[in-house]
Amino acid sequence: AKLANSDKVIIGLGANVSVEKNFADAKITIQGRRTELEKVLLDTTGAIDQVASELSRLQQEAQRYQ
């Protein structure tokens, strides 16, 4: 297979919608998504740590009543 135009890519926007972008713009879009995902990962990890800490505290408290 041979690409007729290698400076354009198709990128998904969500909701089954895709657009054609030049390579540089697509790269910026994907980098932005990556940054957002990294932030969500940090937020989620922090929330999981808080839940784990609270669970541990509750387990210790429950042991006092046994």
Side-chain angles (χ1 to χ4, degrees):
K2 186 175 182 180
L3 293 174
N5 187 355
S6 63
D7 62 339
K8 298 280 185 178
V9 294
I10 296 177
I11 188 165
L13 300 178
N16 291 325
V17 176
S18 298
V19 294
E20 184 178 87
K21 289 190 171 200
N22 67 44
F23 187 79
D25 288 342
K27 185 175 179 180
I28 290 168
T29 299
I30 291 172
Q31 287 172 336
R33 288 180 185 176
R34 179 180 179 173
T35 300
E36 286 179 39
L37 287 172
E38 288 171 344
K39 182 183 180 312
V40 169
L41 177 61
L42 285 174
D43 291 347
T44 302
T45 301
I48 289 170
D49 289 345
Q50 287 178 344
V51 169
S53 177
E54 182 66 7
L55 177 61
S56 176
R57 185 189 71 75
L58 290 171
Q59 285 173 332
Q60 290 173 0
E61 186 175 331
Q63 286 178 353
R64 282 189 272 152
Y65 294 107
Q66 292 182 0

